[in-house]
Amino acid sequence: MRAEYITSENDEEMREILKGLEMLLSVPEGSMPCNRDFGISWSNLDLPKEELENEYATALIIKAAEFIPEIEIREIRFTENEDGELLARIEVERS
């Protein structure tokens, strides 16, 4: 699954925050030494599409609130590209 970030702010601070969010989403939960809670669980990637979207969105909102409190996830929409790859479009704003 790929992610795309949507925000109305495009300053350096927001770009750094989005890099942190990208890192959070790219790390499998449990794989980071000294912080096993960091990351997103990859155990649900084989769920049916609707369940996967719900599990991913829920985990993203919870993890972002814990590890990146300076932002709020406003909306998450899912689309598929022509190859069938799922894309999460994540709308973000500062808290």
Side-chain angles (χ1 to χ4, degrees), residues 32-92:
M32 183 166 286
C34 300
N35 196 348
R36 299 292 181 190
D37 289 335
F38 189 83
I40 297 289
S41 173
W42 290 13
S43 65
N44 56 10
L45 291 177
D46 60 346
L47 291 174
K49 182 181 174 229
E50 293 78 22
E51 289 179 52
L52 171 61
E53 291 173 358
N54 187 46
E55 292 289 323
Y56 185 85
T58 302
L60 171 57
I61 291 167
I62 291 169
K63 294 290 185 155
E66 180 179 354
F67 291 102
I68 312 172
E70 46 284 290
I71 61 167
E72 181 179 337
I73 306 296
R74 299 292 298 162
E75 184 177 14
I76 305 168
R77 290 175 303 220
F78 295 92
T79 60
E80 287 185 24
N81 66 15
E82 56 277 349
D83 297 327
E85 181 182 25
L86 200 56
L87 173 66
R89 302 188 77 180
I90 303 164
E91 187 176 331
V92 178

Side-chain angles (χ1 to χ4, degrees), residues 9 13-14 16-18 20-21 64-73 92-95:
E9 303 174 52
E13 183 179 2
M14 181 55 87
E16 289 299 316
I17 291 169
L18 293 178
L21 181 58
E66 180 179 354
F67 291 102
I68 312 172
E70 46 284 290
I71 61 167
E72 181 179 337
I73 306 296
V92 178
E93 71 179 30
R94 290 182 208 265
S95 334

